[in-house]
Amino acid sequence: MHETAEDLERLQALLDRSYAAAGPHLSRIHTPERRLGAEQLAARLKGMSLLVLATVTADGRPILGPVDGIFLRGEFYFGSAPDSLRFRHIAKRPQVSATHLPGEEFAVTVHGRAVPVDLKGPVGADLRRTLLEVYVPRYGQEWEEFLDGGPVYA
Protein backbone atom coordinates (compact mmCIF):
# COMPACT_ATOMS: atom_id res chain seq x y z
CA MET A 1 0.00 0.00 0.00
CA HIS A 2 1.46 3.34 -1.13
CA GLU A 3 -1.09 5.65 0.48
CA THR A 4 -0.03 8.24 3.04
CA ALA A 5 -2.16 9.19 6.05
CA GLU A 6 -3.25 12.31 4.12
CA ASP A 7 -4.21 10.20 1.07
CA LEU A 8 -6.34 7.96 3.27
CA GLU A 9 -8.02 10.93 4.95
CA ARG A 10 -8.84 12.44 1.53
CA LEU A 11 -10.15 9.09 0.27
CA GLN A 12 -12.25 8.54 3.39
CA ALA A 13 -13.77 12.01 3.00
CA LEU A 14 -14.65 11.18 -0.62
CA LEU A 15 -16.23 7.87 0.40
CA ASP A 16 -18.21 9.62 3.14
CA ARG A 17 -19.46 12.33 0.73
CA SER A 18 -20.40 9.70 -1.85
CA TYR A 19 -22.44 7.64 0.57
CA ALA A 20 -24.07 10.76 2.03
CA ALA A 21 -25.29 11.65 -1.48
CA ALA A 22 -26.35 8.10 -2.39
CA GLY A 23 -29.95 7.45 -3.31
CA PRO A 24 -32.22 5.03 -1.48
CA HIS A 25 -31.54 2.09 -3.81
CA LEU A 26 -27.76 2.25 -3.40
CA SER A 27 -28.10 2.87 0.33
CA ARG A 28 -30.15 -0.31 0.72
CA ILE A 29 -27.43 -2.34 -1.02
CA HIS A 30 -24.35 -0.60 0.43
CA THR A 31 -25.32 -0.72 4.07
CA PRO A 32 -22.72 0.67 6.51
CA GLU A 33 -21.61 -2.79 7.66
CA ARG A 34 -20.85 -3.79 4.04
CA ARG A 35 -18.73 -0.73 3.20
CA LEU A 36 -14.96 -0.63 3.30
CA GLY A 37 -13.08 2.26 4.81
CA ALA A 38 -10.27 4.01 2.95
CA GLU A 39 -7.50 1.88 4.45
CA GLN A 40 -9.33 -1.38 3.72
CA LEU A 41 -10.09 -0.24 0.17
CA ALA A 42 -6.48 0.74 -0.54
CA ALA A 43 -5.26 -2.61 0.80
CA ARG A 44 -7.76 -4.48 -1.38
CA LEU A 45 -6.76 -2.59 -4.55
CA LYS A 46 -3.02 -3.37 -4.52
CA GLY A 47 -1.39 -4.14 -7.86
CA MET A 48 -3.37 -4.13 -11.09
CA SER A 49 -7.17 -4.06 -11.03
CA LEU A 50 -9.03 -4.70 -14.25
CA LEU A 51 -11.41 -1.80 -14.87
CA VAL A 52 -14.27 -1.44 -17.31
CA LEU A 53 -13.84 2.13 -18.53
CA ALA A 54 -16.69 4.11 -20.06
CA THR A 55 -15.94 6.97 -22.44
CA VAL A 56 -18.38 9.03 -24.50
CA THR A 57 -18.69 9.25 -28.30
CA ALA A 58 -19.29 12.54 -30.12
CA ASP A 59 -23.01 11.75 -30.33
CA GLY A 60 -23.24 11.00 -26.59
CA ARG A 61 -23.15 7.20 -26.66
CA PRO A 62 -21.20 5.47 -23.90
CA ILE A 63 -18.52 3.02 -25.02
CA LEU A 64 -17.11 0.50 -22.54
CA GLY A 65 -13.79 -1.27 -22.67
CA PRO A 66 -11.33 -2.98 -20.33
CA VAL A 67 -8.21 -1.22 -19.09
CA ASP A 68 -5.62 -2.03 -16.46
CA GLY A 69 -6.16 0.14 -13.42
CA ILE A 70 -3.54 1.01 -10.84
CA PHE A 71 -4.82 2.37 -7.54
CA LEU A 72 -2.20 4.66 -6.06
CA ARG A 73 -2.40 7.36 -3.39
CA GLY A 74 -6.19 7.09 -3.36
CA GLU A 75 -6.80 7.37 -7.12
CA PHE A 76 -7.14 5.05 -10.11
CA TYR A 77 -4.76 5.44 -13.04
CA PHE A 78 -5.07 3.76 -16.44
CA GLY A 79 -3.33 3.78 -19.78
CA SER A 80 -3.68 2.61 -23.35
CA ALA A 81 -2.21 3.15 -26.79
CA PRO A 82 -2.13 6.75 -28.01
CA ASP A 83 -4.17 5.79 -31.08
CA SER A 84 -6.85 3.88 -29.16
CA LEU A 85 -10.50 4.83 -29.59
CA ARG A 86 -10.91 5.47 -25.87
CA PHE A 87 -8.05 7.97 -25.83
CA ARG A 88 -9.43 9.78 -28.86
CA HIS A 89 -12.72 10.07 -26.93
CA ILE A 90 -10.97 11.27 -23.76
CA ALA A 91 -9.01 13.92 -25.67
CA LYS A 92 -12.31 15.51 -26.74
CA ARG A 93 -14.60 14.51 -23.85
CA PRO A 94 -12.64 13.64 -20.68
CA GLN A 95 -15.70 12.54 -18.67
CA VAL A 96 -15.27 8.87 -17.70
CA SER A 97 -16.67 6.23 -15.40
CA ALA A 98 -14.92 3.02 -14.42
CA THR A 99 -15.86 -0.06 -12.45
CA HIS A 100 -13.69 -2.75 -10.89
CA LEU A 101 -15.91 -5.80 -10.34
CA PRO A 102 -13.94 -8.94 -9.51
CA GLY A 103 -17.04 -10.65 -8.11
CA GLU A 104 -20.47 -10.14 -6.61
CA GLU A 105 -19.11 -9.38 -3.14
CA PHE A 106 -16.89 -6.44 -4.12
CA ALA A 107 -17.22 -3.56 -6.57
CA VAL A 108 -15.66 -0.13 -6.89
CA THR A 109 -17.12 2.47 -9.26
CA VAL A 110 -15.62 5.89 -9.93
CA HIS A 111 -16.80 8.83 -12.02
CA GLY A 112 -14.90 11.90 -13.04
CA ARG A 113 -12.67 13.63 -15.53
CA ALA A 114 -9.64 11.85 -16.96
CA VAL A 115 -6.52 13.96 -16.50
CA PRO A 116 -3.26 13.20 -18.34
CA VAL A 117 -0.29 12.32 -16.13
CA ASP A 118 3.30 13.09 -17.11
CA LEU A 119 5.26 10.04 -15.97
CA LYS A 120 8.49 11.99 -16.30
CA GLY A 121 7.28 14.83 -14.09
CA PRO A 122 7.39 14.98 -10.29
CA VAL A 123 3.77 13.84 -9.85
CA GLY A 124 4.18 10.93 -12.25
CA ALA A 125 7.45 9.59 -10.83
CA ASP A 126 5.72 7.64 -8.05
CA LEU A 127 3.22 6.22 -10.54
CA ARG A 128 6.01 5.26 -12.94
CA ARG A 129 7.83 3.35 -10.16
CA THR A 130 4.60 1.58 -9.23
CA LEU A 131 3.86 0.64 -12.84
CA LEU A 132 7.35 -0.82 -13.21
CA GLU A 133 6.94 -2.77 -9.94
CA VAL A 134 3.69 -4.29 -11.25
CA TYR A 135 4.51 -4.96 -14.90
CA VAL A 136 8.24 -5.68 -15.26
CA PRO A 137 7.95 -8.94 -13.25
CA ARG A 138 5.04 -9.98 -15.50
CA TYR A 139 6.30 -8.92 -18.92
CA GLY A 140 10.03 -8.32 -18.59
CA GLN A 141 12.24 -5.27 -18.79
CA GLU A 142 11.04 -4.41 -22.31
CA TRP A 143 7.72 -3.38 -20.81
CA GLU A 144 9.40 -0.13 -19.77
CA GLU A 145 9.65 0.79 -23.48
CA PHE A 146 5.92 0.17 -23.84
CA LEU A 147 5.28 2.42 -20.85
CA ASP A 148 7.14 5.26 -22.51
CA GLY A 149 5.02 4.92 -25.65
CA GLY A 150 1.51 5.70 -24.42
CA PRO A 151 -0.40 8.20 -22.34
CA VAL A 152 -1.52 7.54 -18.77
CA TYR A 153 -4.55 9.16 -17.14
CA ALA A 154 -5.78 9.64 -13.58
Side-chain angles (χ1 to χ4, degrees), residues 11-12 17 34 39-41 43 48 50 55 68 83 85 89 95-96 100 102 105 114 123 144:
L11 178 58
Q12 188 62 56
R17 284 192 313 274
R34 296 181 73 192
E39 193 169 341
Q40 295 167 300
L41 184 61
M48 188 277 287
L50 187 60
T55 60
D68 289 3
D83 60 350
L85 178 64
H89 289 170
Q95 298 80 9
V96 297
H100 172 58
E105 78 291 341
V123 173
E144 189 170 357

Side-chain angles (χ1 to χ4, degrees), residues 45-57:
L45 294 173
K46 289 187 301 188
M48 188 277 287
S49 299
L50 187 60
L51 301 176
V52 178
L53 179 73
T55 60
V56 183
T57 64

Side-chain angles (χ1 to χ4, degrees), residues 50-56 62-68 76-80 84-87 89-90 94-100 110-114 153-154:
L50 187 60
L51 301 176
V52 178
L53 179 73
T55 60
V56 183
I63 299 287
L64 302 171
V67 294
D68 289 3
F76 269 118
Y77 295 85
F78 61 92
S80 188
S84 69
L85 178 64
R86 69 179 50 98
F87 279 7
H89 289 170
I90 290 170
Q95 298 80 9
V96 297
S97 290
T99 296
H100 172 58
V110 295
H111 311 285
R113 234 177 126 75
Y153 285 86

